[in-house]
Amino acid sequence: VQLQASGGGLVRPGDSLRLSCVASGRTVANYHVGWFRQAPGKEREFVAGINRVGNTYRPNPMKGRFTISRDNAKTTVYLQMNNLQPEDTAVYYCAAEQTTDSEPYVPRRRNEYTEWGQGTLVTVSS
């Protein structure tokens, strides 16, 4: 599946953004989908994920500000980001893994995803 991430931009501290990840030509209902981010000079880190059956997972630092959701009809997964801070500046990537799995686990490691989008840049600066 070809993934297209969009919605990044330049915002000020405290602002919100909603990123979109579109799977061209396919529904994301049969995929696990995750968002990762990579800041300059840092490792790519997991931000949030939603599995095939709709369970979501966010690491503790992301809870309260980041929310992942899915719109199956529009083949889109969203990442809502609130109260953005300069440390959130990064390229944000969406990733997907096709699956028939119905387990509650939400993949959160890079090697658990095989399809990657090109990334969208989020810059938080005053």
Side-chain angles (χ1 to χ4, degrees):
V1 63
Q2 186 171 5
L3 301 173
Q4 179 74 37
S6 62
L10 173 62
V11 297
R12 295 184 176 183
D15 285 352
S16 298
L17 275 178
R18 188 176 77 163
L19 305 184
S20 299
C21 177
V22 177
S24 59
R26 300 211 180 170
T27 175
V28 295
N30 294 318
Y31 289 82
H32 301 318
V33 178
W35 284 97
F36 292 75
R37 69 183 183 184
Q38 188 165 17
K42 294 189 176 181
E43 294 288 322
R44 191 170 299 187
E45 66 173 340
F46 178 76
V47 175
I50 184 166
N51 70 6
R52 189 183 75 85
V53 296
N55 295 321
T56 63
Y57 173 78
R58 295 159 293 171
N60 284 336
M62 313 303 175
K63 291 180 180 178
R65 296 194 301 124
F66 292 2
T67 303
I68 189 170
S69 61
R70 180 179 66 194
D71 183 339
N72 290 342
K74 296 184 178 180
T75 72
T76 304
V77 172
Y78 302 101
L79 181 68
Q80 177 68 41
M81 306 186 295
N82 298 326
N83 190 24
L84 285 162
Q85 301 299 315
E87 55 266 32
D88 297 315
T89 294
V91 177
Y92 285 72
Y93 299 90
C94 63
E97 179 69 12
Q98 190 172 18
T99 183
T100 58
D101 188 359
S102 297
E103 295 298 317
Y105 175 75
V106 179
R108 61 205 66 177
R109 300 179 180 85
R110 290 181 60 179
N111 62 5
E112 292 178 304
Y113 294 92
T114 55
E115 312 282 353
W116 289 82
Q118 87 292 353
T120 184
L121 176 63
V122 173
T123 303
V124 185
S125 175
S126 55

